[in-house]
Amino acid sequence: MRFEIVTLFPELFDVLRTGLLGKAQDAGAIDVHAITPREFTTDRHRTVDDSPYGGGSGMVLMPGPFAATLDHLDEARAGNPTHRVLLTPQGTRFSQAHAQRFSDLECLTLLCGRYEGFDERIRGLVDEEVSLGDFVLLGGEAAALALIEATARLLPGVLGNEESAADESHAESLLEYPQYTRPEEFRGQKVPEVLRSGNHAAIARWRRKESLRRTLERRPDLLEEADLSKEDRVLLKEINDEA
Ligand code: SAM
């Protein structure tokens, strides 16, 4: 999958050369292109922003350099389609469902703002607007990195173990069950007996129940969206009866 990032700070995406995403790039599973709209300016100072019409503080990103960058990327892709996402605190809140949907695409183009944000006409150049959460960052780059990481780890061959993504928090609108590794006892706390039993059916049942318990305790809102089986409802009843 190809990730294109339009940013005033392409060097911030060098961090994607680290760890599993670095390996995924080396293996050709993902391809990352960060490009600055400054390359597509026409003045000596490579200006990409200007003061807002109507007055007010800060600078607004001009549509021209962003549109020219997107045209350049379209040409470089030789007509292959992309999906354009504008990072903004005004967008829909990013979730695992976005990551899942994006991971089915051939190419994703992310537009990162800075300063006071985008000229309104840049919004007309994109397919959707996404927010990392209800807070304001200095720029869209941290949001783009989070979105790339959440999406790329769902691609075949990136994690190396496809099951671990399927099992994790939010994969089925549930939080993950508690995980343990060695030592068997740490500061008086023992690993639950069932996990050391070797009984795979009992382990699977315990994990499902603890996943439901954790979701119920921490994010009951998620349970409303979860596709619960008859067995899940039995486990939830057990949890409620234990309380
Ligand atoms: N004036 C803008 C507003 O109120 O919507 C905020 C501008 S913000 C300081 C600069 C840039 O950071 C934005 O254009 C956007 O790209 C990025 N940004 C800030 N907060 C974000 C968030 N929660 N999610 C995604 N991008 C964000």
Side-chain angles (χ1 to χ4, degrees), residues 87-90 113 115-118 131-133 135-140 143:
L87 279 324
T88 165
Q90 302 176 26
Y115 319 129
E116 282 305 311
F118 301 99
S131 166
L132 191 59
F135 44 80
V136 178
L137 298 162
L138 280 174

